[in-house]
Amino acid sequence: MEKIVEQALLFDFYGELLTEHQKQIYEDHVLNDLSVSEIAADRGISRQGVHDMMKRCDKILRGYEEKLHLIDKFLKTKEKVGTINRLANEMKNVDTDSQQKYLDEIEQVSRGILEDF
């Protein structure tokens, strides 16, 4: 996964667990695409301070994901829902006798989603 997308997902899922100061700096860098220099100037802190804060936040957020696996579960569920959607669309184009095969597969995928939670 691309680093910026991964950081955005980490922030979306776990950002509220950061302190307000950490949240603002991480959000400015990841979501608002501000450079370390821009953030340092805006916040009145050193570039090294911003860099260290970003590393610390990354470590904290990755630690939450290692323990809770919410992003992993979300991505797997999203993939399975995509499979269900694809199967439902394919089912529209087959005769009535062949639809049971699709319904069985949809049921199997949806059961997998329910078992994951």
Side-chain angles (χ1 to χ4, degrees):
M1 186 179 331
E2 189 178 331
K3 183 178 179 178
I4 197 76
V5 173
E6 182 181 7
Q7 287 178 313
L9 280 171
L10 286 167
F11 186 77
D12 286 346
F13 278 83
Y14 305 112
E16 290 300 315
L17 300 173
L18 298 173
T19 67
E20 194 59 38
H21 182 66
Q22 290 171 328
K23 230 183 334 187
Q24 290 171 350
I25 290 175
Y26 201 84
E27 184 175 14
D28 280 348
H29 187 64
V30 174
L31 302 180
N32 299 332
D33 200 28
L34 296 179
S35 71
V36 171
S37 298
E38 291 171 317
I39 297 168
D42 288 349
R43 304 273 174 207
I45 57 177
S46 69
R47 291 175 64 242
Q48 186 63 45
V50 174
H51 179 74
D52 290 347
M53 179 69 73
M54 288 299 301
K55 286 181 78 169
R56 191 174 319 120
C57 289
D58 271 336
K59 184 177 180 180
I60 291 168
L61 296 175
R62 288 178 203 285
Y64 288 133
E65 177 58 17
E66 286 174 14
K67 291 177 181 125
L68 301 172
H69 307 287
L70 296 178
I71 295 172
D72 184 50
K73 289 176 184 177
F74 168 75
L75 293 174
K76 286 178 182 176
T77 301
K78 184 177 177 183
E79 183 180 324
K80 289 176 182 178
V81 170
T83 300
I84 290 171
N85 190 27
R86 180 186 52 79
L87 290 168
N89 285 324
E90 288 176 11
M91 192 173 89
K92 294 175 186 175
N93 300 320
V94 298
D95 59 70
T96 309
D97 295 333
S98 301
Q99 288 182 350
Q100 188 60 45
K101 173 187 147 222
Y102 287 94
L103 288 172
D104 291 343
E105 196 169 345
I106 288 170
E107 181 182 16
Q108 180 183 1
V109 173
S110 65
R111 192 176 317 113
I113 292 171
L114 293 173
E115 289 172 356
D116 287 343
F117 292 99

